[in-house]
């Protein structure tokens, strides 16, 4: 499968472009994600949002469809 070439990383809080990278410079697991039918599609935009210890990463395909959303919890002091 061909990738269009670039992946744009966006800060989800400010909607500003953080960086744009050549797709070949990132692992295949980041370059491609499954669509609703389970077929791999190229990821062209990644929106990262961090609030407190929670980080959300959304990967979008060329047509603007959300392909995958991942939630992570950052290590650190317990907020209790």
């Amino acid at each position: 499968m061909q990738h269009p070439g670039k992946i744009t990383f966006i800060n989800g809080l400010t909607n500003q472009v953080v960086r744009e990278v050549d797709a070949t410079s990132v692992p295949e697991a980041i370059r491609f994600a499954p669509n609703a039918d389970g077929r791999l599609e190229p990821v062209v935009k990644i929106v990262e949002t961090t609030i407190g210890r929670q980080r959300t990463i959304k990967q979008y395909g060329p047509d603007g469809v959300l392909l995958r959303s991942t939630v992570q919890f950052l290590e650190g002091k317990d907020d209790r």
Side-chain angles (χ1 to χ4, degrees):
M1 169 179 297
Q2 289 283 137
H3 192 284
K6 301 249 183 234
I7 300 174
T8 303
F9 289 81
I10 303 209
N11 179 320
L13 296 175
T14 64
N15 290 321
Q16 291 188 330
V17 173
V18 176
R19 67 188 176 280
E20 188 172 82
V21 300
D22 189 283
T24 60
S25 71
V26 300
E28 189 171 314
I30 294 173
R31 278 186 295 213
F32 298 97
N35 63 19
D37 297 329
R39 291 177 296 181
L40 290 180
E41 287 199 35
V43 172
V44 297
K45 179 172 76 170
I46 298 177
V47 179
E48 301 177 16
T49 305
T50 302
I51 299 174
R53 293 179 50 224
Q54 181 176 316
R55 178 180 181 205
T56 304
I57 303 165
K58 294 181 178 179
Q59 295 171 281
Y60 294 89
D63 55 3
V65 171
L66 177 64
L67 297 172
R68 178 169 40 210
S69 182
T70 305
V71 176
Q72 300 173 334
F73 292 93
L74 304 173
E75 292 185 25
K77 282 178 59 174
D78 189 13
D79 290 333
R80 286 187 258 163

